[in-house]
Amino acid sequence: MSSRIQILATLKECGVLSSAALFSIAGTASKRAFRYSLAGLVSNGLVSKRLQGASGGKSVYYQLSQDLKARSTAARLLCCSVGSLSQSAFRGRDLPHVEGCGLMRAYLKKRFPDARILSEAEIIADPVAKDLLLWKQGETEFLPDVLLILKYETGTLVSVAFEVERCRKSDTRVVKKLSKYASQTKLDGVVYFCEADHLTQTIRSLYRAKALTKAVRIRYYADDFLLLGASHSV
């Protein structure tokens, strides 16, 4: 597979990535070949550059161009449908989080090749995922960043939600989501990867003090239902 195809395929899968993250996932032969291929894709209009951050400290991200002609060309190169290359118009401030979710999906697919690894958008279109989450139309605030579904030969499903936490959210919002996962889904567990130690401590405290009070479903393994880690460990 050529460097250009690898880059396009990676952006199709992950959405938005910085140059460093794109190189680490695409697995091209050399940085020189990678930079040359990426520059060519940008020049040809197949890949768009996105800027995030204040003046003087902007970060550059890359995303598949959403121009119809560009998507048609990319679809031919990737042997996929034009519609499968349609991506959201992510807000600038959300780009680091989108990248974090993309890295998480790539990491999980490498570690669990037999599992299905779904993004938010894929969850909404997947009947099995929606059933596991007991998801109702419009409940977007209760969708995990990434959902792993692994089916054993016996037919047993194991499902784990993954969250990438980069900033502090309100206690109410965190408790609602943790309570939903613990009491109103069929999930086997949830993993939070946090940007900072204080986020880890806050989520752990709210889970124990608030979310577990009515979590009858997981009472026998409540301590193992929630796992917390640092985002840089992925």
Side-chain angles (χ1 to χ4, degrees):
M1 185 184 295
S2 71
S3 293
R4 292 191 180 191
I5 299 300
Q6 287 177 309
I7 290 171
L8 289 173
T10 301
L11 289 175
K12 173 181 181 291
E13 175 64 31
C14 297
V16 177
L17 293 172
S18 63
S19 176
L22 183 52
F23 176 72
S24 70
I25 298 175
T28 51
S30 69
K31 285 190 175 181
R32 182 177 181 181
F34 166 77
R35 293 192 185 107
Y36 178 81
S37 297
L38 181 57
L41 290 170
V42 172
S43 177
N44 292 336
L46 297 183
V47 171
S48 300
K49 294 174 68 172
R50 301 282 306 274
L51 298 178
Q52 189 273 337
S55 178
K58 291 184 177 180
S59 299
V60 180
Y61 292 84
Y62 297 89
Q63 179 180 11
L64 291 177
S65 173
Q66 293 303 288
D67 175 77
L68 181 57
K69 183 177 179 181
R71 284 194 290 126
S72 298
T73 301
R76 286 196 297 273
L77 293 172
L78 294 174
C79 299
C80 65
S81 67
V82 176
S84 68
L85 300 182
S86 180
Q87 298 176 339
S88 300
F90 304 110
R91 296 176 299 181
R93 67 182 184 183
D94 292 335
L95 296 183
H97 181 261
V98 175
E99 178 183 65
C101 295
L103 288 169
M104 176 63 66
R105 292 199 301 277
Y107 169 79
L108 291 173
K109 286 187 175 184
K110 184 176 181 180
R111 291 294 302 272
F112 304 98
D114 295 328
R116 297 174 59 216
I117 312 297
L118 306 179
S119 66
E120 268 192 25
E122 291 170 329
I123 291 169
I124 295 175
D126 190 283
V128 174
K130 289 191 290 185
D131 179 64
L132 290 168
L133 291 167
L134 300 180
W135 186 77
K136 298 177 182 178
Q137 189 69 34
E139 292 184 334
T140 54
E141 72 272 23
F142 294 126
L143 289 173
D145 290 326
V146 180
L147 179 63
L148 178 150
I149 303 174
L150 181 60
K151 186 175 183 178
Y152 290 102
E153 293 181 357
T154 58
T156 302
L157 287 181
V158 173
S159 58
V160 180
F162 290 82
E163 297 284 353
V164 178
E165 292 295 293
R166 296 182 54 87
C167 60
R168 181 77 162 83
K169 296 182 175 69
S170 71
D171 288 358
T172 300
R173 183 176 174 184
V174 173
V175 170
K176 279 185 177 181
K177 197 160 197 179
L178 288 171
S179 298
K180 168 71 174 179
Y181 285 155
S183 304
Q184 302 171 43
T185 70
K186 300 177 184 178
L187 294 177
D188 296 295
V190 57
V191 181
Y192 273 78
F193 283 94
C194 303
E195 187 80 0
D197 290 341
H198 71 88
L199 296 176
T200 301
Q201 294 167 4
T202 297
I203 292 171
R204 180 184 291 112
S205 297
L206 291 173
Y207 174 71
R208 290 175 176 173
K210 302 287 186 180
L212 288 184
T213 57
K214 298 181 180 180
V216 177
R217 183 180 74 89
I218 62 168
R219 65 182 181 277
Y220 296 116
Y221 62 102
D223 290 340
D224 298 318
F225 181 76
L226 173 69
L227 297 179
L228 296 156
S231 59
H232 58 73
S233 63
V234 177

